[in-house]
Amino acid sequence: MKNSALKGALGALAVVGVALIAKKAIQRKRFIKGIFDEYGIKEKSPFGLADKIREMNDEDYQELKGKFKKEFHSRCCKKDNTFEA
């Protein structure tokens, strides 16, 4: 009996982990889709984004870069609620 309860608890934990990973992936996909819509990028690929970045002026590029840093920064090495890129 002990073994089956342990397996059940580990299985439930695994399901929760997969759900959290899927939720984060969906959030990031929405963010990327929003970037493509905001900047009018029709080709939904990294190459379309790269082409748009080449066309941007420095101010627009820094704004886009800041958005990506804010969305994709790592939380593992956080100091005083700031992050490094």
Side-chain angles (χ1 to χ4, degrees):
M1 279 301 215
K2 261 170 73 172
N3 230 359
S4 65
L6 180 62
K7 286 181 184 178
L10 289 176
L13 188 61
V15 168
V16 169
V18 169
L20 289 174
I21 291 170
K23 179 182 174 187
K24 190 65 174 180
I26 290 169
Q27 288 174 345
R28 288 184 173 194
K29 186 175 181 179
R30 283 186 192 143
F31 171 77
I32 295 295
K33 186 176 181 184
I35 291 292
F36 282 129
D37 292 342
E38 180 180 346
Y39 288 96
I41 303 169
K42 296 184 188 225
E43 184 181 344
K44 308 289 187 202
S45 73
F47 300 110
L49 180 61
D51 289 341
K52 185 64 176 182
I53 288 172
R54 283 189 205 105
E55 296 171 0
M56 288 180 171
N57 61 21
D58 198 36
E59 182 180 314
D60 290 339
Y61 172 70
Q62 292 302 325
E63 178 185 339
L64 178 65
K65 187 174 160 184
K67 288 179 184 180
F68 274 101
K69 280 184 183 180
K70 183 178 178 187
E71 180 68 22
F72 295 111
H73 75 277
S74 175
R75 290 174 182 82
C76 70
C77 304
K78 192 166 42 168
K79 292 193 268 185
D80 302 325
N81 293 331
T82 61
F83 55 90
E84 297 178 20

